[in-house]
Amino acid sequence: NAGVTQTPKFQVLKTGQSMTLQCAQDMNHEYMSWYRQDPGMGLRLIHYSVGAGITDQGEVPNGYNVSRSTTEDFPLRLLSAAPSQTSVYFCASSYSMGTGANVLTFGAGSRLTVL
Amino acid sequence: GQNIDQPTEMTATEGAIVQINCTYQTSGFNGLFWYQQHAGEAPTFLSYNVLDGLEEKGRFSSFLSRSKGYSYLLLKELQMKDSASYLCAVMDSNYQLIWGAGTKLIIKP
């Protein structure tokens, strides 16, 4: 099993450009999520999905869009990149959200720099 | 507001024991998680506590006191490969994870 696959691993953008971070999982997980990780801060939830066709906002959704057309894929779109979006992005999935034992499997991360 | 506190950095010696503390204030509680994150890599799951007490898993143990809003991760027989950041996360009443900033553990020979 590949687990959670994220692409690209590294990306440099100019302010105002748009791009999509790809995330795919092969574990038939219902729950998928996107986090950003910045120095000195905890992981912050951007958007999440509890199943195909269902998405919701997390703690820091502004400037990002998501869609969930299939169980496997959960892309994150940056609409107009800003330097404040320079960060490491992690996609994570689990079997469900509504239980306490919601163990997340993370992708390898995507390091994004916005100039 | 919701808050997770853990020390920023700790140093320990190879072969020794280290305890990493985590205190939390959250809207409800549905469990506490510990994840390990090596530099430049993704977090990986270590432990989950939902009831008070100690959960032991090999060299790693995790303790929870819900009344005190407190947990610790205990690492025994430290190895150089244990050098990593350790992330504490609490699941709140909406089943959302609230993450601490992580504790960077440095192991010295």
Side-chain angles (χ1 to χ4, degrees), chain B residues 4 62 68 80 84:
Chain B
I4 310 286
S62 55
K68 295 182 179 178
M80 298 303 293

Side-chain angles (χ1 to χ4, degrees), chain A residues 31 35 37 40-43 45 48 90 97-104 106-109 111, chain B residues 30-31 33 35 37 40-45 48 87 91 94-102:
Chain A
Y31 178 81
Y35 285 93
Q37 186 174 42
M41 303 182 71
L43 289 163
L45 183 65
Y48 66 96
F90 287 101
M97 173 184 169
T99 67
N102 185 31
V103 175
L104 291 172
F106 284 83
R111 185 175 293 274
Chain B
N30 278 302
F33 296 81
Y35 283 78
Q37 185 177 26
E41 298 183 8
T44 55
F45 170 75
Y48 168 69
L87 313 182
M91 183 165 283
N94 294 319
Y95 293 98
Q96 295 289 1
L97 285 171
I98 311 300
W99 294 83

Side-chain angles (χ1 to χ4, degrees), chain A:
Chain A
N1 280 348
V4 179
T5 303
Q6 274 184 248
T7 56
K9 283 192 69 69
F10 301 95
Q11 183 73 47
V12 179
L13 290 177
K14 295 181 179 178
T15 297
Q17 287 184 319
S18 62
M19 77 156 298
T20 299
L21 298 177
Q22 301 291 344
C23 176
Q25 52 91 10
D26 62 358
M27 298 173 285
N28 202 32
H29 284 173
E30 290 297 321
Y31 178 81
M32 296 186 74
S33 55
W34 277 101
Y35 285 93
R36 59 179 290 172
Q37 186 174 42
D38 300 294
M41 303 182 71
L43 289 163
R44 291 185 291 168
L45 183 65
I46 304 171
H47 285 284
Y48 66 96
S49 168
V50 298
I54 305 169
T55 63
D56 209 344
Q57 296 181 350
E59 179 187 356
V60 287
N62 292 342
Y64 307 94
N65 272 355
V66 291
S67 60
R68 184 94 180 270
S69 56
T70 66
T71 299
E72 294 78 20
D73 299 301
F74 191 46
L76 178 72
R77 297 182 185 84
L78 280 71
L79 309 173
S80 177
S84 61
Q85 293 178 304
T86 293
S87 187
V88 179
Y89 292 84
F90 287 101
C91 180
S93 71
S94 70
Y95 279 110
S96 70
M97 173 184 169
T99 67
N102 185 31
V103 175
L104 291 172
T105 300
F106 284 83
S110 300
R111 185 175 293 274
L112 175 68
T113 301
V114 182
L115 302 175

Side-chain angles (χ1 to χ4, degrees), chain B residues 50-106:
Chain B
V50 67
L51 300 176
D52 290 351
L54 188 69
E55 294 278 345
E56 297 186 79
K57 193 184 291 186
R59 294 189 298 115
F60 292 10
S61 302
S62 55
F63 171 83
L64 174 67
S65 169
R66 289 173 295 172
S67 62
K68 295 182 179 178
Y70 168 71
S71 173
Y72 67 73
L73 181 69
L74 191 72
L75 290 72
K76 303 175 186 175
E77 301 170 13
L78 285 170
Q79 302 176 9
M80 298 303 293
K81 68 178 181 179
D82 297 330
S83 293
S85 290
Y86 292 85
L87 313 182
C88 174
V90 173
M91 183 165 283
D92 68 11
S93 57
N94 294 319
Y95 293 98
Q96 295 289 1
L97 285 171
I98 311 300
W99 294 83
T103 300
K104 183 178 180 180
L105 178 63
I106 299 168

